[in-house]
Amino acid sequence: MWARTVEVMLACWLAISPLVFHRGPAETLAWGMEPVAGVAVMVLALAAFYRPLRGAHLGILLVSAWLVVEGYRITGAHADPREQNCLMVGLLLAMFAICPTQGDEPPPGWQAFRENRARR
Protein backbone atom coordinates (compact mmCIF):
# COMPACT_ATOMS: atom_id res chain seq x y z
CA MET A 1 0.00 0.00 0.00
CA TRP A 2 2.98 2.31 0.42
CA ALA A 3 3.29 2.73 -3.36
CA ARG A 4 -0.31 3.94 -3.60
CA THR A 5 0.36 6.43 -0.82
CA VAL A 6 3.37 7.81 -2.71
CA GLU A 7 1.23 8.04 -5.86
CA VAL A 8 -1.35 10.12 -3.97
CA MET A 9 1.43 12.44 -2.78
CA LEU A 10 2.76 12.80 -6.34
CA ALA A 11 -0.80 13.51 -7.51
CA CYS A 12 -1.04 16.35 -4.99
CA TRP A 13 2.27 17.70 -6.28
CA LEU A 14 1.01 17.54 -9.87
CA ALA A 15 -2.13 19.43 -8.89
CA ILE A 16 -0.22 22.34 -7.37
CA SER A 17 2.80 22.37 -9.68
CA PRO A 18 1.36 24.99 -12.09
CA LEU A 19 1.27 27.38 -9.14
CA VAL A 20 4.86 26.57 -8.19
CA PHE A 21 6.23 26.76 -11.74
CA HIS A 22 4.42 29.88 -12.84
CA ARG A 23 3.00 29.57 -16.32
CA GLY A 24 2.08 32.55 -18.42
CA PRO A 25 -1.49 33.30 -19.50
CA ALA A 26 -0.60 32.21 -23.06
CA GLU A 27 -0.10 28.63 -21.82
CA THR A 28 -3.70 28.00 -20.77
CA LEU A 29 -3.66 24.40 -22.00
CA ALA A 30 -0.56 23.67 -19.93
CA TRP A 31 -2.27 25.12 -16.84
CA GLY A 32 -4.84 22.35 -17.03
CA MET A 33 -2.64 19.43 -18.02
CA GLU A 34 -0.93 18.81 -14.70
CA PRO A 35 -3.98 19.23 -12.42
CA VAL A 36 -6.01 16.89 -14.66
CA ALA A 37 -3.19 14.35 -14.55
CA GLY A 38 -2.98 14.79 -10.77
CA VAL A 39 -6.70 14.14 -10.30
CA ALA A 40 -6.52 11.07 -12.57
CA VAL A 41 -3.57 9.67 -10.63
CA MET A 42 -5.28 10.33 -7.30
CA VAL A 43 -8.51 8.61 -8.39
CA LEU A 44 -6.65 5.57 -9.72
CA ALA A 45 -4.39 5.29 -6.68
CA LEU A 46 -7.28 5.60 -4.23
CA ALA A 47 -9.37 3.12 -6.25
CA ALA A 48 -6.56 0.58 -5.85
CA PHE A 49 -7.19 0.57 -2.09
CA TYR A 50 -10.62 -0.99 -2.79
CA ARG A 51 -10.05 -4.75 -3.13
CA PRO A 52 -12.13 -5.38 -6.30
CA LEU A 53 -10.30 -2.51 -8.04
CA ARG A 54 -6.79 -3.28 -6.78
CA GLY A 55 -5.44 -3.36 -10.35
CA ALA A 56 -6.61 0.20 -11.00
CA HIS A 57 -3.13 1.53 -10.28
CA LEU A 58 -1.96 0.14 -13.63
CA GLY A 59 -3.95 2.93 -15.29
CA ILE A 60 -1.38 5.29 -13.81
CA LEU A 61 1.05 3.94 -16.40
CA LEU A 62 -1.02 5.66 -19.10
CA VAL A 63 -0.99 8.96 -17.23
CA SER A 64 2.74 8.69 -16.60
CA ALA A 65 3.39 7.91 -20.27
CA TRP A 66 1.34 10.98 -21.21
CA LEU A 67 3.36 13.17 -18.82
CA VAL A 68 6.69 11.85 -20.11
CA VAL A 69 5.72 12.26 -23.76
CA GLU A 70 4.33 15.76 -23.23
CA GLY A 71 7.33 16.82 -21.17
CA TYR A 72 9.76 15.43 -23.74
CA ARG A 73 7.85 16.75 -26.75
CA ILE A 74 7.61 20.26 -25.38
CA THR A 75 11.17 20.30 -24.03
CA GLY A 76 13.10 19.95 -27.29
CA ALA A 77 16.43 21.74 -27.03
CA HIS A 78 15.42 23.97 -24.14
CA ALA A 79 14.44 22.17 -20.93
CA ASP A 80 12.80 24.50 -18.47
CA PRO A 81 11.80 23.39 -14.95
CA ARG A 82 8.13 22.89 -15.81
CA GLU A 83 8.84 20.27 -18.44
CA GLN A 84 11.54 18.67 -16.30
CA ASN A 85 8.92 18.38 -13.58
CA CYS A 86 6.56 16.56 -15.97
CA LEU A 87 9.33 14.20 -17.02
CA MET A 88 10.47 13.39 -13.50
CA VAL A 89 6.99 12.97 -12.02
CA GLY A 90 5.96 10.83 -15.00
CA LEU A 91 8.98 8.56 -14.54
CA LEU A 92 8.39 8.32 -10.78
CA LEU A 93 4.74 7.46 -11.33
CA ALA A 94 5.70 4.73 -13.81
CA MET A 95 8.15 3.30 -11.29
CA PHE A 96 5.58 3.18 -8.48
CA ALA A 97 2.71 2.02 -10.70
CA ILE A 98 4.40 -1.29 -11.40
CA CYS A 99 4.68 -2.04 -7.67
CA PRO A 100 1.89 -4.39 -6.56
CA THR A 101 -0.70 -3.04 -4.14
CA GLN A 102 -0.06 -5.81 -1.61
CA GLY A 103 3.70 -5.68 -2.19
CA ASP A 104 4.54 -5.23 1.48
CA GLU A 105 2.84 -8.49 2.54
CA PRO A 106 4.42 -11.95 2.32
CA PRO A 107 3.15 -14.39 -0.33
CA PRO A 108 -0.08 -16.29 0.53
CA GLY A 109 1.76 -19.58 1.06
CA TRP A 110 4.06 -18.00 3.60
CA GLN A 111 1.13 -16.35 5.37
CA ALA A 112 -0.63 -19.74 5.69
CA PHE A 113 2.56 -21.34 7.02
CA ARG A 114 3.01 -18.56 9.55
CA GLU A 115 -0.63 -18.81 10.70
CA ASN A 116 -0.40 -22.61 11.06
CA ARG A 117 2.81 -22.30 13.02
CA ALA A 118 1.27 -19.67 15.33
CA ARG A 119 -1.66 -22.02 16.14
CA ARG A 120 0.65 -24.74 17.53
Side-chain angles (χ1 to χ4, degrees):
M1 294 291 188
W2 63 271
R4 306 296 80 85
T5 305
V6 173
E7 289 167 350
V8 169
M9 290 188 283
L10 286 171
C12 292
W13 170 251
L14 271 174
I16 66 167
S17 64
L19 301 174
V20 175
F21 301 110
H22 183 67
R23 295 191 182 270
E27 299 175 322
T28 55
L29 180 63
W31 269 95
M33 182 182 78
E34 289 138 354
V36 168
V39 168
V41 167
M42 188 172 295
V43 166
L44 290 168
L46 292 175
F49 281 105
Y50 183 56
R51 187 168 292 278
L53 298 175
R54 79 181 133 200
H57 66 93
L58 295 175
I60 294 174
L61 287 171
L62 296 173
V63 178
S64 67
W66 176 46
L67 285 170
V68 169
V69 167
E70 282 297 313
Y72 186 71
R73 183 183 62 84
I74 294 171
T75 301
H78 173 68
D80 67 353
R82 297 171 298 202
E83 280 71 33
Q84 289 177 3
N85 180 53
C86 284
L87 285 169
M88 291 306 298
V89 172
L91 292 172
L92 280 170
L93 284 172
M95 182 178 69
F96 286 114
I98 61 174
C99 294
T101 301
Q102 303 296 331
D104 56 341
E105 297 177 4
W110 293 4
Q111 287 179 346
F113 175 76
R114 189 172 60 187
E115 290 171 4
N116 289 337
R117 191 166 184 187
R119 290 181 192 163
R120 293 183 190 177

